Amino acid sequence: MNHPDPSRLNQILNRFADRRVVVIGDLILDEFVWGRVRRISPEAPVPVVEITRESVLLGGAANVAVNLAVMGARPLLVGVVGRDADAARLAEQLAVRGIDGGTVLEDPSRRTSVKTRIIAHQQQVCRTDRESRGPVGGELSERLAGAFLERLQEADAVILSDYGKGVLADGLIQKCVEAARGRGCFVAVDPQ
């Protein structure tokens, strides 16, 4: 196996220092419910998980922003959440990691995407998804485009992070790419 040169990796990582990167896309809260199984349910042949702890991480475009921050970049996050308790939890996780959520827009007609993994004995038992998958349109799409253009004015690069939750509809993708190219920004896509 060919291993990368550590000095070259450091050079690459050092180039991220203080770079401003607009990340626009689907924001997800990844929730983990940890426990153990000691019996099978009498109602159905499924394990009964006794919950011992819970944790949350940022997912989707929010995870991309976290990874950029860890590498020393300054992520400028643009996305949509619902007006719900999960949006507040997502905002709290952004703040803990020092990520500016000032252009994360609320849409009361949508729910914040939450993926819950139930894990017992280090094995995922099941996953539940609570989300809106319909395309963002109309006035909200225009507000998203405006938030993106606002962040683009201070950006060195752009990442479009599409997890199929409706934030990056075709028209918005085209607007973002054209605007970023017009400013000479590097554009990358994180498709799922």
Side-chain angles (χ1 to χ4, degrees):
M1 176 182 263
N2 204 3
H3 295 287
D5 176 21
S7 64
R8 175 71 177 129
L9 288 175
N10 281 333
Q11 286 176 339
I12 292 168
L13 287 175
N14 287 337
R15 292 183 69 193
F16 277 94
D18 296 321
R19 297 287 183 191
R20 294 165 308 228
V21 181
V22 176
V23 179
I24 182 169
D26 299 305
L27 306 177
I28 301 170
L29 191 62
D30 286 330
E31 182 177 60
F32 297 85
V33 178
W34 305 84
R36 60 180 168 259
V37 174
R38 294 186 184 174
R39 61 192 176 100
I40 301 298
S41 172
E43 296 128 7
V46 296
V48 175
V49 179
E50 297 173 15
I51 297 170
T52 57
R53 68 184 169 99
E54 298 180 40
S55 59
V56 294
L57 294 172
L58 293 167
N63 182 55
V64 172
V66 168
N67 292 335
L68 287 166
V70 167
M71 292 189 300
R74 194 174 122 211
L76 308 169
L77 192 58
V78 180
V80 177
V81 294
R83 187 174 291 155
D84 50 34
D86 293 320
R89 291 193 321 156
L90 192 142
E92 180 181 300
Q93 291 300 313
L94 290 172
V96 164
R97 287 160 180 79
I99 297 171
D100 179 2
T103 44
V104 172
L105 307 178
E106 282 188 357
D107 179 359
S109 71
R110 297 177 73 84
R111 68 173 305 143
T112 303
S113 293
V114 179
K115 299 189 176 305
T116 304
R117 292 156 182 87
I118 300 174
I119 301 168
H121 307 285
Q122 308 307 319
Q123 167 108 18
Q124 184 171 316
V125 176
C126 73
R127 186 179 97 181
T128 63
D129 292 356
R130 292 167 280 173
E131 61 193 10
S132 299
R133 296 178 58 99
V136 170
E139 185 263 335
L140 182 59
S141 182
E142 292 302 317
R143 287 180 47 218
L144 265 172
F148 173 81
L149 292 173
E150 174 187 321
R151 291 298 197 172
L152 183 61
Q153 298 312 307
E154 55 184 310
D156 298 303
V158 171
I159 297 177
L160 303 169
S161 186
D162 190 358
Y163 284 71
K165 309 301 177 220
V167 170
L168 289 174
D170 290 341
L172 182 59
I173 292 172
Q174 186 174 349
K175 284 180 188 176
C176 291
V177 170
E178 287 174 3
R181 284 186 178 156
R183 238 189 125 253
C185 284
F186 173 79
V187 179
V189 178
D190 170 30
Q192 288 296 310

